[in-house]
Amino acid sequence: YIPDFYCAEARVAIEVDGGVHLRPSVKRRDKHKDTVLASHGVLVVRLTNEMVQYRVYKALTIIRNVVLQRLGQLRRASDRVG
């Protein structure tokens, strides 16, 4: 799967979803995609097109917070292993 955006260091995928993602068949496909990515250690964050277009600051804040939190989690896990 290829996400809309990906931060390799934080292992975070960002998906920007339009109205088509409200369809049951697309929701099932998205859930499967999220599960597959999670099985590879990737956290998926889903944002709506509307948020990205009209509330960009909020979207960027969410992405920033998730990436920073995830980096902290990965560093702590790495410290425990190494």
Side-chain angles (χ1 to χ4, degrees):
Y1 295 104
I2 300 173
D4 295 324
F5 302 96
Y6 182 65
C7 176
E9 184 179 354
R11 300 186 66 107
V12 172
I14 306 297
E15 291 285 349
V16 181
D17 296 342
V20 71
H21 291 267
L22 298 174
R23 294 182 186 164
S25 62
V26 178
K27 279 186 175 186
R28 283 191 300 275
R29 189 174 64 226
D30 286 344
K31 185 175 181 175
H32 177 73
K33 180 179 182 179
D34 294 353
T35 301
V36 170
L37 289 170
S39 75
H40 292 280
V42 177
L43 175 66
V44 178
V45 176
R46 292 190 170 274
L47 304 173
T48 64
N49 279 346
E50 291 78 17
M51 180 182 287
V52 172
Q53 282 184 302
Y54 303 114
R55 299 171 70 195
V56 68
Y57 183 76
K58 180 175 177 103
L60 291 172
T61 300
I62 290 169
I63 293 167
R64 178 184 181 275
N65 290 341
V66 168
V67 167
L68 290 175
Q69 180 181 17
R70 183 73 168 169
L71 287 171
Q73 291 170 346
L74 293 173
R75 286 188 186 118
R76 285 189 298 277
S78 174
D79 291 344
R80 284 191 300 265
V81 172

